[in-house]
Amino acid sequence: MTASLQAMSAPMMAAGTYPTEMGCAVSAQQFRDAMSQITTPVSIITTDGLAGRSGMTCSAVCAASDTPPMIIACVHGASAANRIFKANGVLCVNSLSAAQSSLSQMFASSRGVPMDERFPAEDWGTLATGSPCHRNALTALDCEVLDIREAGTHSVFFAKVLATGIGQPLEPLVYHRRAYATTRSL
């Protein structure tokens, strides 16, 4: 470690729990604990097509490109929705507001509410692809899947945004330290 990197890192290392050697293995639990400190937006990703309608809560969505407009979404390989997203080739990212934590919970669970009952007609519409778009989403990004890469436990979907919907400017629902939260301006 260079002297300047050591000087910058010393206060942070003294305050937290950090390995003392470079190259040491990081366990799955250590990784999950570290990732819990990173705030992520909460979205429901949906799809509809020949393989059926499905949706799931996801906190692993980000922009990949603005020309062309593309996003990345990471979906666990064991998720029932994963194979449906792959088969349909389309998806819609519905970014949630702080008031929609119960909606997020409903789509996060594989038990409880049957998939068809999660899409009441009064709450959902469609944009370009026919994937469900929540009428009260902060933002909806309706996408065509261009590529899928398998990475460890997850499938990484690269999707081109074909249509957008922008809702009311409400506080976002985020996930931080293994709990729902929201943001505030500084």
Side-chain angles (χ1 to χ4, degrees):
M1 196 181 283
T2 66
S4 61
L5 184 55
Q6 277 182 322
M8 288 177 19
S9 302
M12 189 168 83
M13 287 186 185
T17 305
Y18 293 88
T20 56
E21 297 178 23
M22 294 294 287
C24 64
V26 174
S27 71
Q29 186 61 51
Q30 288 171 317
F31 178 70
R32 286 191 298 271
D33 290 345
M35 291 302 295
S36 76
Q37 298 298 316
I38 297 174
T39 303
T40 59
V42 178
S43 299
I44 295 173
I45 303 176
T46 60
T47 189
D48 201 354
L50 293 176
R53 183 169 50 180
S54 189
M56 61 171 282
T57 299
C58 184
S59 61
V61 176
C62 68
S65 169
D66 64 356
T67 308
M70 291 179 62
I71 57 103
I72 296 171
C74 300
V75 177
H76 198 287
S79 165
N82 185 306
R83 67 174 176 74
I84 300 172
F85 289 128
K86 288 176 178 175
N88 286 343
V90 294
L91 58 86
C92 185
V93 175
N94 296 274
S95 179
L96 302 182
S97 75
Q100 294 176 306
S101 62
S102 60
L103 182 63
S104 171
Q105 276 303 116
M106 180 173 51
F107 277 88
S109 174
S110 60
R111 297 177 297 267
V113 181
M115 191 58 70
D116 283 344
E117 293 177 23
R118 298 179 192 194
F119 295 99
E122 65 272 13
D123 292 339
W124 296 89
T126 61
L127 295 174
T129 70
S131 296
C133 171
H134 199 278
R135 296 185 196 285
N136 294 318
L138 293 180
T139 299
L141 304 170
D142 198 30
C143 306
E144 173 188 16
V145 176
L146 297 181
D147 193 14
I148 304 165
R149 303 286 172 98
E150 301 303 321
T153 57
H154 284 65
S155 299
V156 182
F157 290 79
F158 293 83
K160 182 178 179 181
V161 179
L162 302 179
T164 63
I166 299 175
Q168 297 296 315
L170 302 171
E171 297 300 319
L173 183 63
V174 298
Y175 200 68
H176 181 73
R177 295 185 181 149
R178 297 184 175 96
Y180 290 122
T182 192
T183 60
R184 63 178 177 82
S185 298
L186 297 178

